[in-house]
Amino acid sequence: MVYTIVVHLYAKDDPVAIEKVKNKLIEASQVYSKDRETISWFVMQDHIDPRAFTIVERYEQESSQQYHLGNPYWKTFDPYVIPLLDKPMDLRRFHELDTSKEVKVV
């Protein structure tokens, strides 16, 4: 079952902070996408509010996080990003629903 983490980040109202968050997220995606058992690691910026960012992390299973958390890069992420944010990160965890089987709603 695919395990997904969705993180919402909101940068400070400062063009430099916004650009730093954006670049750190791009770098993080390039690093974490190579981790074992990582299906995908997407980063997005809101199309209206440039301060709003979202990370979607998809893993083969919940235990796959160990490779993400064990990556030395992980220890650099929060110390760099947190001071650039206007509010705490909003992190949510999900098990993706299996959509491979046909379902008929009556």
Side-chain angles (χ1 to χ4, degrees):
M1 178 180 302
V2 175
Y3 183 71
T4 302
I5 298 174
V6 178
V7 185
H8 298 285
L9 304 92
Y10 200 69
K12 290 182 177 175
D13 190 10
D14 169 35
V16 173
I18 294 167
E19 192 66 20
K20 284 182 173 184
V21 170
K22 180 173 129 180
N23 288 333
K24 188 65 168 177
L25 291 176
I26 291 169
E27 179 184 67
S29 178
Q30 293 167 348
V31 170
Y32 292 138
S33 293
K34 298 173 187 168
D35 282 350
R36 220 168 113 193
E37 296 185 15
T38 298
I39 297 169
S40 54
W41 216 89
F42 298 116
V43 293
M44 293 156 261
Q45 186 174 23
D46 189 89
H47 72 286
I48 295 171
D49 185 352
R51 297 171 63 191
F53 296 89
T54 299
I55 303 167
V56 177
E57 308 173 26
R58 297 180 69 237
Y59 301 101
E60 291 179 11
Q61 54 200 354
E62 189 170 350
S63 64
S64 301
Q65 288 181 93
Q66 67 182 316
Y67 304 112
H68 170 66
L69 299 175
N71 187 319
Y73 184 84
W74 188 79
K75 291 179 183 171
T76 72
F77 187 82
D78 282 1
Y80 184 89
V81 171
I82 289 174
L84 302 170
L85 301 180
D86 201 32
K87 53 187 170 184
M89 289 184 239
D90 175 13
L91 188 144
R92 299 173 188 221
R93 301 167 187 274
F94 302 93
H95 291 284
E96 290 185 14
L97 300 176
D98 182 359
T99 59
S100 65
K101 298 176 186 107
E102 185 175 340
V103 173
K104 298 280 187 186
V105 178
V106 290

